[in-house]
Amino acid sequence: MRARRTLATTLARVSRRGLHGGPFGAAGAAGAVDEPPTEFFESIRALGGEHEPFAKWLHARVSADETKRGGRRNVHPAVTAARVPGMGVGLIARRPVRAGEIVLRIPREVHAPLSAPHALAAAKAKAPAFVDHAAKVAASMGAPELATHAALALHVLFELGDPRSEGFAYLATLPGLAGKASPSVPLLWTPTQVATLRGTPTHGRVLRRAKFVSDAHAALFPGGGGGVPLEKFAWALSSVLSRASSGDRMPYAFLPGVDLLNHGGVDANCELSAVKLANEGNEENRWGDVEVTCVADVAAGQQLTISYGDESDNCRLLRLYGFATRGNVHDKREIELRLTGDALDAWRSSRRWGPGIDAARRAILRLHGLPRLTGEFEHADAAGLDDGEVVGSNPGGAAVFRDPTLPRPETIDEKDEKDEESSRRRGVSGTEGGRGEGTDDAVRWR
């Protein structure tokens, strides 16, 4: 009852702001409310293939919630789905939408059965021994969140194994085991495809992630895979990490319909939010509706986008989502310089002389004809930054300085995996949301 009162109170506040009875913003919303948003579901159906049953599945659940809520609309009548060149399927505004208007609302009845808490609860009920085993494996690998990721990944595989399951119609729309025709994320690439990344920092990270997933699979399913081949496990895990939302302000769940939104980066015109219920002791019932709200005016014909990580460089976007963007302002360039003699002494002197290290770094950059550090990063040491890695901006991205006295990792860097998963569950900016390595209270869309 407490949870229901909290949800009712939240929705009452929304109603007073003009986003409930007239759910798509105060200005210009009255006329829109009378128009059924059937165009949205019809546009999904028109995509063909697995999208046809998915459109029917989503329409039934969203409409049922609208009826239960007294006719509240969950889909803005301007929203439609379409294929976007170079980006797959996306959501388009077929007429102008104003900042502050809610364009899509997904009820908890839609995302809760596709959430990590639900998957864990189901696994504990059906295979408690495996859940305990997975937790031990994850702890032994130094990645405790692996147990939760694996539970949701296996839930995806089990649901897809039964066409009558609750989530089958939606999960069947996920990108399949792509192979050469459509390579998807690098974890699923062939060795020949992965080899094309040689010479980039991404290559090593892709190899490390592949080894980590292979080791995790062998430990979770000793002696033959337990009926779950490595290829399928890697695909399901990739689907979880790339398609499910997470963060302190979002449920860790797949969000059908919402995941049609493409990445807009710093130019994203929408953001995600979720109603948090007062079920402190019940993780599965912690979250209510998930809403997509415009944060900028959107013109007719313009694509609706969110951020998959406000600070995500192309290396991260490619590894997690399988794409890169042109002119990514968060891209970095790693420059290796062999320092000896006076230059090396000057670098080491930063621990004694603080800001004096700037002069040595500027001299090294001038010597090699490289861009100098910008003013915001002058005296970085004095600001308390670790001189093991100081970042300065330049026209081509960022220059990253690593202490040459420290050993360079040549084998699998499991800290990289752990840091990435840790940032994922802290909540990486999705609004960021993006979801690169963000703040604790940010939202992440993945």
Side-chain angles (χ1 to χ4, degrees), residues 34-48:
D34 295 331
E35 180 181 343
T38 53
E39 176 71 20
F40 174 67
F41 302 105
E42 176 60 26
S43 65
I44 295 177
R45 187 199 66 78
L47 295 172

Side-chain angles (χ1 to χ4, degrees), residues 201 205 313 315 329-339 347 361 364-365 370-374 377 380 385-404 406 408:
R205 291 195 172 192
D313 58 22
C315 175
V329 297
H330 302 297
D331 269 355
K332 301 177 179 66
R333 304 291 184 268
E334 187 169 293
I335 304 171
E336 292 188 13
L337 302 176
R338 185 183 297 276
L339 301 185
W347 190 289
R361 289 177 178 154
I364 294 170
L365 291 173
L370 299 172
R372 59 171 291 172
L373 298 177
T374 54
F377 288 102
L385 296 178
D386 180 5
D387 71 326
E389 179 170 310
V390 178
V391 179
S393 61
N394 65 54
V400 179
F401 291 86
R402 301 184 187 279
D403 191 334
L406 299 177
R408 179 176 178 81

Side-chain angles (χ1 to χ4, degrees), residues 188-377:
L188 308 178
W189 288 9
T190 66
T192 301
Q193 291 168 335
V194 173
T196 63
L197 297 174
R198 284 176 180 167
T200 70
T202 308
H203 184 249
R205 291 195 172 192
V206 169
L207 294 178
R208 289 194 292 271
R209 171 162 290 218
K211 185 178 187 307
F212 181 86
V213 172
S214 178
D215 291 346
H217 177 265
L220 288 170
F221 309 104
V228 181
L230 172 59
E231 185 182 47
K232 286 189 176 181
F233 178 72
W235 170 82
L237 195 60
S238 294
S239 297
V240 167
L241 296 178
S242 64
R243 303 290 287 227
S245 67
S246 68
D248 290 340
R249 297 192 288 119
M250 290 294 292
Y252 182 8
F254 289 95
L255 302 177
V258 173
D259 62 359
L260 295 177
L261 291 159
N262 283 316
H263 173 64
V266 295
D267 298 318
N269 52 34
C270 295
E271 67 178 10
L272 305 183
S273 62
V275 176
K276 193 172 185 179
L277 306 179
N279 281 322
E280 298 297 336
N282 189 338
E283 185 66 23
E284 187 173 358
N285 296 319
R286 182 184 177 190
W287 297 100
D289 300 341
V290 173
E291 297 174 343
V292 181
T293 305
C294 280
V295 294
D297 291 345
V298 180
Q302 187 177 350
Q303 186 176 185
L304 299 165
T305 60
I306 55 175
S307 172
Y308 291 8
D310 284 347
E311 297 183 12
S312 290
D313 58 22
N314 277 337
C315 175
R316 188 171 184 279
L317 290 174
L318 180 63
R319 287 184 293 115
L320 291 182
Y321 307 108
F323 69 87
T325 61
R326 291 184 181 276
N328 190 327
V329 297
H330 302 297
D331 269 355
K332 301 177 179 66
R333 304 291 184 268
E334 187 169 293
I335 304 171
E336 292 188 13
L337 302 176
R338 185 183 297 276
L339 301 185
T340 60
D342 293 342
L344 183 56
D345 290 340
W347 190 289
R348 288 171 170 166
S349 70
S350 64
R351 291 178 176 82
R352 296 198 306 270
W353 304 109
I357 191 62
D358 292 337
R361 289 177 178 154
R362 286 196 297 270
I364 294 170
L365 291 173
R366 284 197 302 271
L367 178 64
H368 292 273
L370 299 172
R372 59 171 291 172
L373 298 177
T374 54
E376 64 185 308
F377 288 102

Side-chain angles (χ1 to χ4, degrees), residues 12-274:
R13 292 195 191 103
V14 172
S15 177
R16 287 195 291 272
R17 293 200 306 267
L19 298 177
H20 183 44
F24 304 120
V33 172
D34 295 331
E35 180 181 343
T38 53
E39 176 71 20
F40 174 67
F41 302 105
E42 176 60 26
S43 65
I44 295 177
R45 187 199 66 78
L47 295 172
E50 289 80 5
H51 286 91
E52 292 189 36
F54 167 57
K56 181 179 179 180
W57 178 92
L58 184 62
H59 192 185
R61 284 155 180 76
V62 170
S63 298
D65 178 78
E66 291 174 339
T67 300
K68 184 173 68 175
R69 303 293 181 90
R72 177 191 75 172
R73 290 287 169 79
N74 288 327
V75 183
H76 195 293
V79 179
T80 185
R83 299 195 184 278
V84 181
M87 302 182 76
V89 176
L91 297 185
I92 309 295
R94 59 192 181 102
R95 63 168 178 262
V97 181
R98 296 186 180 182
E101 293 191 63
I102 296 174
V103 293
L104 185 60
R105 182 186 292 111
I106 299 300
R108 80 167 301 278
E109 288 77 14
V110 174
H111 65 74
L114 298 164
S115 68
H118 178 85
L120 274 173
K124 288 177 180 178
K126 297 177 181 178
F130 176 79
V131 174
D132 292 341
H133 170 64
K136 292 177 181 177
V137 168
S140 69
M141 297 185 70
E145 296 299 332
L146 172 64
T148 304
H149 301 332
L152 185 52
L154 293 175
H155 183 68
V156 168
L157 293 176
F158 294 151
E159 289 279 291
L160 283 172
D162 182 4
R164 299 168 299 177
S165 66
E166 172 67 18
F168 180 87
Y170 161 69
L171 294 173
T173 66
L174 297 179
L177 285 170
K180 295 180 179 179
S182 177
S184 188
V185 296
L187 180 60
L188 308 178
W189 288 9
T190 66
T192 301
Q193 291 168 335
V194 173
T196 63
L197 297 174
R198 284 176 180 167
T200 70
T202 308
H203 184 249
R205 291 195 172 192
V206 169
L207 294 178
R208 289 194 292 271
R209 171 162 290 218
K211 185 178 187 307
F212 181 86
V213 172
S214 178
D215 291 346
H217 177 265
L220 288 170
F221 309 104
V228 181
L230 172 59
E231 185 182 47
K232 286 189 176 181
F233 178 72
W235 170 82
L237 195 60
S238 294
S239 297
V240 167
L241 296 178
S242 64
R243 303 290 287 227
S245 67
S246 68
D248 290 340
R249 297 192 288 119
M250 290 294 292
Y252 182 8
F254 289 95
L255 302 177
V258 173
D259 62 359
L260 295 177
L261 291 159
N262 283 316
H263 173 64
V266 295
D267 298 318
N269 52 34
C270 295
E271 67 178 10
L272 305 183
S273 62

